[in-house]
Amino acid sequence: MLELTDSARKELESYFADKEKSDIRIYLAPGGCCGPQLMLALDAATDEDQSEEQAGFTFCLNKDLLARIQGVKIDVSQMGFTVEPTVPLPETGGGCGGCSGGCGSH
């Protein structure tokens, strides 16, 4: 279900260095011009989730969403954590030419 890069693991270890560890939810957030994106949040698992432990962290993901995306890769970029689905999400954006620019820019 889950691939956690070394960079992402180190970032999580740094974040939780002075905090009690909690479950990390992978969820589908509504998107702007790029459509919905997978994100991370601190949230406890429910009966509707699949949970997996990686590097001492517990990740949870809704079972229906997991069935759609088949798994995720969590990494870190200059903008923070990136959560890439194994099976890409359908692009439902407004055709803005990508998320790197504002809507209407090329």
Side-chain angles (χ1 to χ4, degrees):
M1 166 179 111
L2 178 78
E3 178 185 347
L4 182 67
T5 67
D6 285 339
S7 299
R9 177 189 50 78
K10 289 175 186 174
E11 192 71 23
L12 287 170
E13 287 172 350
S14 175
Y15 176 79
F16 284 110
D18 59 351
K19 299 172 187 67
E20 184 176 335
K21 286 185 182 177
S22 62
D23 292 352
I24 302 168
R25 175 170 299 284
I26 301 164
Y27 70 99
L28 188 61
C33 64
C34 292
Q37 297 180 9
L38 294 173
M39 307 291 283
L40 301 178
L42 301 179
D43 187 29
T46 70
D47 291 340
E48 297 177 7
D49 294 323
Q50 174 75 35
S51 293
E52 182 174 321
E53 188 171 320
Q54 286 277 333
F57 300 99
T58 301
F59 295 87
C60 59
L61 177 63
N62 177 276
K63 291 175 186 175
D64 292 337
L65 178 57
L66 178 58
R68 281 180 50 201
I69 63 172
Q70 301 295 307
V72 296
K73 177 181 179 181
I74 300 173
D75 201 359
V76 177
S77 74
Q78 295 172 338
M79 302 294 287
F81 288 102
T82 60
V83 186
E84 296 295 325
T86 302
V87 175
L89 295 165
E91 291 190 30
T92 59
C96 303
C99 289
S100 60
C103 286
S105 66
H106 296 294

